[in-house]
Amino acid sequence: MKYAVWFLRFVFGAWMVPAGLEHFLHIFPQPMGSQPLSEELIVALLSSHLFDIVKAVELIAGLCILTGFYAPLALVMCMPVSFCVFYWDTPLEGWTSPASHFGEAVLLINCLLCLAYFKSYRAMFALRAKPRALGAPAAPAAAQPVGA
């Protein structure tokens, strides 16, 4: 299992780092889409400069995932990006397009990696979570009898 997670982290990070760098260094041309809706979406993202944020998230999160530095947090940061990549590649470009397989793979790998790190997210699923003061201990250990 450990090696499968390492492999998926490598594949996912190896996709994200060059994809993020490309926007800032222009390594390869940015696909503009082949369908009217996908073209409109990419033009809107570029014109609004929201694409700059997307690519920065891809780059930073990709480096974190490759190195294992805050990997669970980086995977959660990547989820909106992965979903948008899936949406742009699959419904907008076409369910039978070659890009569709890529979009599906990106979202699937992100979901599988999030499942691999599920223990890191367990506290987020508390039914009635209460905020703690900064520096406060996490949760009291088992109750100790008085005088023990």
Side-chain angles (χ1 to χ4, degrees), residues 3 21 27 41 43 49 64 70 83 93 116 122 125 132:
Y3 296 112
L21 274 176
I27 301 168
L41 178 60
V43 168
H49 298 285
C64 289
Y70 289 109
F83 183 78
E93 279 293 304
R122 189 167 286 160
F125 295 103
R132 291 183 288 148

Side-chain angles (χ1 to χ4, degrees), residues 20 29 44-45 88 95 106-107 115 119-120 129 135:
L45 288 171
W88 191 79
W95 290 92
V106 167
L107 186 59
L115 284 174
K119 286 183 182 179
S120 299

Side-chain angles (χ1 to χ4, degrees), residues 72-142:
L73 176 62
L75 289 166
V76 170
M77 284 175 31
C78 285
M79 191 55 76
V81 172
S82 295
F83 183 78
C84 288
V85 167
F86 164 77
Y87 186 74
W88 191 79
D89 283 344
T90 306
L92 295 183
E93 279 293 304
W95 290 92
T96 58
S97 72
S100 175
H101 303 298
F102 180 70
E104 292 164 355
V106 167
L107 186 59
L108 178 66
I109 290 173
N110 198 342
C111 289
L112 289 173
L113 284 171
C114 283
L115 284 174
Y117 285 97
F118 185 75
K119 286 183 182 179
S120 299
Y121 308 124
R122 189 167 286 160
M124 293 191 314
F125 295 103
L127 183 61
R128 299 201 195 290
K130 295 179 183 175
R132 291 183 288 148
L134 290 176

